Amino acid sequence: MSSYQPIDDSQSWSSHDVLFGGSTDQERMIEQGAGAVVLVFVSLTLLFSIINTHKSGAHLMLGFIITGFALCLGHLLRAWRQGDLDPKFKYFILAQTVLLTLLCIIANIYFWQ
């Protein structure tokens, strides 16, 4: 027989290490605020890529690629909140969030040149 022991809900990763340091209402508001800022940046980048498609088709493609990165980040965050990811992914998720925001800023500068 195998020695496989599933992790029950009381011992999930998310109960031991929360993404932004805790689970108080203030920390959840900070997490949701950061998510809203990233969502606004990605939405505006996609909108501006559609608006500037007449300059080059690459603008539209870049907008879709950034949207794909945002969807991947959203999937990672959902898995983190459900406790399916190892705590080592915390810094990866934070880095992805910062890099996605910077990518959106750079893409918007590129679109409006």
Side-chain angles (χ1 to χ4, degrees):
M1 295 307 248
S2 70
S3 63
Y4 173 73
Q5 297 265 339
I7 298 174
D8 63 351
D9 290 335
S10 65
Q11 295 178 352
S12 68
W13 292 113
S14 64
S15 66
H16 297 297
D17 192 18
V18 180
L19 186 59
F20 291 105
S23 61
T24 65
D25 289 337
Q26 180 182 9
E27 290 163 346
R28 270 187 249 130
M29 290 298 289
I30 291 171
E31 180 182 346
Q32 290 175 352
V37 168
V38 171
L39 182 65
V40 167
F41 271 110
V42 170
S43 299
L44 286 176
T45 302
L46 181 62
L47 177 70
F48 294 152
S49 72
I50 293 169
I51 290 172
N52 290 312
T53 302
H54 64 86
K55 293 180 182 177
S56 171
H59 291 89
L60 185 62
M61 196 57 130
L62 184 59
F64 286 142
I65 290 170
I66 289 173
T67 304
F69 282 141
L71 291 173
C72 291
L73 181 63
H75 181 71
L76 275 175
L77 285 171
R78 186 176 317 115
W80 178 270
R81 289 182 188 132
Q82 292 174 353
D84 293 339
L85 290 178
D86 194 298
K88 293 182 273 188
F89 279 90
K90 174 173 63 173
Y91 299 110
F92 178 72
I93 293 171
L94 291 173
Q96 285 290 97
T97 304
V98 170
L99 290 174
L100 182 62
T101 304
L102 288 174
L103 181 61
C104 288
I105 292 169
I106 292 168
N108 284 320
I109 291 170
Y110 172 70
F111 294 155
W112 294 105
Q113 269 186 339

